[in-house]
Amino acid sequence: VMMPKAQGDWLEDETSRDERMAEVARSENVYERLAASIAPSIYGMDDVKKGVLLQLFGGSQKDFSDKGWGRIRSEINVLLVGDPGTSKSQILRYVHRLAPRGIYTSGSGSSAVGLTAYVARDVDSGELVLESGALVLSDQGICCVDEFDKMSDYTRSILHEAMEQQTISVAKAGIIATLNARTSLLAAANPVDSRYDPKKTVVDNIQLPPTLLSRFDLIFLILDQVDIESDKRLAKHIVSLFYDNVNNISGNEASYIGASIGGQKLLEYIAYARERVKPRLSDAASDKLVELYVAMRKRGGEGVGGVRTVSATPRNLESLVRMSEARAKLELREVVEVSDVDEAHRLMVSAIAQVATDPTTGLLDIDLLNAGQSAHQRGKARDLANMLWTTLSNWESGGDVRLNMLLQKTNEDASVRIKETEMKKALKLLEEEDKIVFTSSRLAIRRLA
């Protein structure tokens, strides 16, 4: 028979736990060691692991309901985009095992009700009851969604509320409720054509709505690029995992494995930090956040027609705050320092530079994620709309103009060949300005002005 512990024994265990956790926090290079402990069998991908590590710890929860501001999101959302076979799913499964609370699911096998909530009939009472879905069950944890690109449009649409407001609103079978979904989302997506095309934007590559992409704090692009030295190091690492004799492992691999922290100890450390530590910004860190945000805004260059590109938004600033708090939390510090802000800024710039750079101009443009279209693309569409309007104004025959004839005529006059999709985007601008109207099931147009 197991006897209950005396109060002194509980206090002793709690004190011992505090000392063990503080020892880990004081260890040398604890940030790098913790990052190396995320999926240690996967070689490299240091920034991806650091971003996921910050997601596991999360920011400090803030509730200003008494002031009428509501609750501010402290959870960090991360999206991994890349070629097949780049260990995205392995990272998701490892994080799922590390998270104190969470659900792992696949986009192809998930429905809207499966992610949110559904109404079922209780077996015993026969009454209708509300059953929680994956996002609600992951409350205050992490929901890992693999094959994010294979979700239906309707299923993805319900994620908007959960990722920003952290709630799920339900009105089904006479049951009206708002459920908490204070969960971080870790998702993995593959490009449309299996391989990522650097000549296309991230929106064109994965076909996800910009309104959803903008809700991710970090978007990492993981590409399978051919590099002899990198491939050699990766091959040695993979082969070393199958060695029975530890002496056969090279010095670099041994130091890499030795730097990591065991899974159970890491799980305990993450749970302890999330429960006990609530970092707050120092004056110096607050000033640094403002300085870095202004500098990020200034990075925007000028696109076609003198239109400036947007290189950062207030949502990016909120992400910087969350990641800075997570960086301090992983060292069990109650105050966010300038070094934490610098590291959060480095990670964000590294991620944004990959996915929010316009492949045509090479300029950083956050509108690629927020609006799905860069300033350069908007400028081109406006110039094309003006060209099409000139062509329509000089059209010899009156009445409706077939789109295929307009495209043929425009290409005859233009120096660069115009695609049909580009023409339709430009015509949409003219339609919004009430200059034209589509007819014949949008196969023809009629000039109004």
Side-chain angles (χ1 to χ4, degrees):
V1 179
M2 295 187 65
M3 300 295 293
K5 289 186 177 182
Q7 185 176 2
D9 295 335
W10 283 115
L11 292 175
E12 184 179 352
D13 287 352
E14 196 66 21
T15 303
S16 174
R17 184 191 181 203
D18 292 342
E19 292 176 352
R20 285 188 288 108
M21 297 299 103
E23 183 181 355
V24 175
R26 289 193 302 267
S27 61
E28 187 178 359
N29 297 326
V30 60
Y31 180 42
E32 283 70 21
R33 290 185 64 203
L34 289 171
S37 305
I38 304 295
S41 62
I42 299 175
Y43 182 77
M45 300 172 61
D46 294 338
D47 281 351
V48 175
K49 292 182 180 181
K50 288 178 179 178
V52 170
L53 179 68
L54 296 184
Q55 181 186 37
L56 282 166
F57 283 90
S60 300
Q61 295 185 6
K62 307 172 190 68
D63 194 347
F64 301 110
S65 300
D66 55 334
K67 299 181 180 180
W69 299 348
R71 179 182 179 274
I72 298 179
R73 174 165 68 95
S74 62
E75 289 74 21
I76 299 172
N77 300 317
V78 179
L79 175 63
L80 309 180
V81 180
D83 298 326
T86 50
S87 306
K88 300 187 299 295
S89 298
Q90 289 186 46
I91 291 178
L92 261 65
R93 290 192 176 276
Y94 196 87
V95 170
H96 170 60
R97 292 197 298 268
L98 278 179
R101 184 178 184 182
I103 298 291
Y104 179 93
T105 184
S106 174
S108 58
S110 300
S111 63
V113 293
L115 289 176
T116 55
Y118 60 95
V119 176
R121 192 171 296 278
D122 186 74
V123 179
D124 298 326
S125 64
E127 298 290 333
L128 292 175
V129 294
L130 198 61
E131 297 287 349
S132 300
L135 292 173
V136 180
L137 291 174
S138 301
D139 184 43
Q140 295 188 329
I142 295 182
C143 184
C144 301
V145 182
D146 201 359
E147 297 181 347
F148 193 66
D149 54 299
K150 294 180 176 60
M151 273 187 177
S152 66
D153 293 337
Y154 175 68
T155 304
R156 282 198 294 257
S157 65
I158 56 95
L159 293 174
H160 290 78
E161 180 188 1
M163 291 181 67
E164 199 61 42
Q165 280 73 44
Q166 303 280 276
T167 57
I168 296 291
S169 301
V170 179
K172 297 178 181 179
I175 300 176
I176 302 175
T178 300
L179 307 175
N180 284 326
R182 297 162 295 182
T183 175
S184 299
L185 183 64
L186 176 61
N190 289 320
V192 175
D193 299 323
S194 294
R195 285 288 176 180
Y196 193 91
D197 188 354
K199 297 180 181 179
K200 296 181 180 179
T201 65
V202 64
V203 176
D204 294 332
N205 269 288
I206 58 179
Q207 296 293 305
L208 291 178
T211 52
L212 192 60
L213 285 175
S214 64
R215 283 168 166 77
F216 285 98
D217 299 274
L218 291 172
I219 302 177
F220 288 107
L221 189 58
I222 309 173
L223 301 182
D224 184 12
Q225 296 176 329
V226 178
D227 181 84
I228 300 300
E229 291 301 321
S230 177
D231 292 343
K232 187 176 181 180
R233 289 193 297 268
L234 176 61
K236 285 184 176 180
H237 174 75
I238 294 175
V239 172
S240 69
L241 299 177
F242 295 89
Y243 278 157
D244 292 331
N245 186 359
V246 72
N247 294 325
N248 288 329
I249 301 179
S250 66
N252 291 336
E253 302 301 334
S255 62
Y256 183 83
I257 295 172
S260 61
I261 298 173
Q264 187 59 38
K265 189 175 182 180
L266 178 60
L267 175 61
E268 184 182 3
Y269 186 76
I270 292 172
Y272 179 87
R274 289 174 67 98
E275 176 188 353
R276 298 293 188 88
V277 187
K278 311 295 179 187
R280 290 293 180 264
L281 294 173
S282 63
D283 292 338
S286 300
D287 294 340
K288 188 67 174 180
L289 281 167
V290 174
E291 176 188 335
L292 291 176
Y293 175 68
V294 173
M296 289 173 67
R297 293 280 292 183
K298 286 182 178 179
R299 287 187 61 182
E302 290 192 358
V304 176
V307 180
R308 287 193 63 85
T309 61
V310 180
S311 52
T313 65
R315 187 170 278 175
N316 297 123
L317 178 57
E318 292 179 353
S319 299
L320 276 178
V321 174
R322 284 189 286 268
M323 291 192 293
S324 300
E325 292 171 344
R327 176 65 180 83
K329 184 183 291 188
L330 66 84
E331 291 185 359
L332 305 185
R333 285 187 278 106
E334 293 290 348
V335 178
V336 178
E337 300 174 353
V338 173
S339 59
D340 302 320
V341 178
D342 287 335
E343 174 60 15
H345 175 257
R346 186 194 67 81
L347 274 178
M348 173 170 287
V349 170
S350 174
I352 289 179
Q354 288 182 305
V355 297
T357 299
D358 188 347
T360 306
T361 63
L363 296 175
L364 188 65
D365 192 347
I366 205 68
D367 274 354
L368 281 172
L369 302 179
N370 295 339
Q373 197 175 34
S374 67
H376 176 73
Q377 291 171 327
R378 291 196 304 273
K380 283 184 63 178
R382 168 49 54 196
D383 291 343
L384 180 56
N386 294 336
M387 183 190 302
L388 291 172
W389 180 245
T390 302
T391 303
L392 289 171
S393 300
N394 299 328
W395 201 265
E396 296 178 358
S397 59
D400 296 353
V401 179
R402 304 287 295 182
L403 293 185
N404 57 350
M405 296 178 63
L406 177 62
L407 180 62
Q408 181 180 351
K409 175 63 177 174
T410 306
N411 277 324
E412 289 176 357
D413 300 336
S415 57
V416 181
R417 185 170 181 80
I418 298 169
K419 298 179 182 179
E420 183 178 359
T421 54
E422 296 174 339
M423 184 185 72
K424 288 183 177 180
K425 288 180 181 179
L427 289 174
K428 188 176 181 181
L429 293 177
L430 296 178
E431 183 185 30
E432 292 171 352
E433 296 171 358
D434 294 328
K435 291 184 175 181
I436 64 169
V437 63
F438 283 90
T439 60
S440 304
S441 301
R442 301 188 72 84
L443 295 176
I445 57 173
R446 181 181 303 153
R447 188 162 64 91
L448 298 179

